[in-house]
Amino acid sequence: MGPMTTRTSSAQWQGGLKDGSGTVSLGSGSYDGPYSFNSRFESGDGTNPEELIAAAHAGCFSMALSNMLASAGHPPTSVKTDAAVQFGPVEGGFAITRIDLTTVGEVPGIDEAEFLKHAENAKAGCPVSKALAAVEITLSAKLA
């Protein structure tokens, strides 16, 4: 095993919850933008932590599944994953309550059953899934 990699991002918030605002900056410099109460709890402009978690999970899962398929002799033409992070009020505050992964693979020479087996393994094994194990994660997977 090689050395561990550390990735960083930052967020700054000014003001109260409802009247404040903030910015999120990815350490790579590939994103720097606003977030607010409205972008998190309503439908205002800007990003929010849950959208960023969804992007991270979709990206990690797609890579993990592609790797597993290629390792099994079925390199994919493409794997596209959508992640829907459910967030809302629960007893005692707010929580992420579920993440729904929906993936479609273009994989030559594989049948649906084998594809689903690899997709389930990727769901269990991708590092972001492991980090989010406290949350229910569902998976819908199909071949294109």
Side-chain angles (χ1 to χ4, degrees), residues 88-95:
V90 297
E91 190 175 326
F94 285 80

Side-chain angles (χ1 to χ4, degrees), residues 14-95:
Q14 298 94 15
L17 176 64
K18 289 197 175 185
D19 65 345
S21 64
T23 56
V24 173
S25 300
L26 300 186
S28 65
S30 61
Y31 179 81
D32 185 27
Y35 75 116
S36 66
F37 180 88
N38 285 343
S39 71
R40 188 167 194 196
F41 296 95
E42 297 167 1
S43 57
D45 291 339
T47 191
N48 56 69
E50 293 72 31
E51 178 180 62
L52 296 169
I53 288 171
H57 204 175
C60 185
F61 176 87
S62 289
M63 286 181 79
L65 178 54
S66 294
N67 180 53
M68 289 177 180
L69 290 164
S71 296
H74 300 287
T77 302
S78 93
V79 172
K80 180 182 185 299
T81 305
D82 295 318
V85 173
Q86 296 188 15
F87 171 72
V90 297
E91 190 175 326
F94 285 80

Side-chain angles (χ1 to χ4, degrees), residues 57-138:
H57 204 175
C60 185
F61 176 87
S62 289
M63 286 181 79
L65 178 54
S66 294
N67 180 53
M68 289 177 180
L69 290 164
S71 296
H74 300 287
T77 302
S78 93
V79 172
K80 180 182 185 299
T81 305
D82 295 318
V85 173
Q86 296 188 15
F87 171 72
V90 297
E91 190 175 326
F94 285 80
I96 292 171
T97 56
R98 196 169 94 201
I99 301 169
D100 299 316
L101 299 173
T102 304
T103 193
V104 177
E106 290 181 42
V107 189
I110 198 171
D111 64 26
E112 196 92 15
E114 189 175 353
F115 179 72
L116 292 175
K117 179 187 78 170
H118 290 297
E120 286 292 343
N121 289 338
K123 178 187 136 199
C126 100
V128 173
S129 286
K130 289 177 183 178
L132 300 173
V135 178
E136 177 188 2
I137 301 170
T138 69

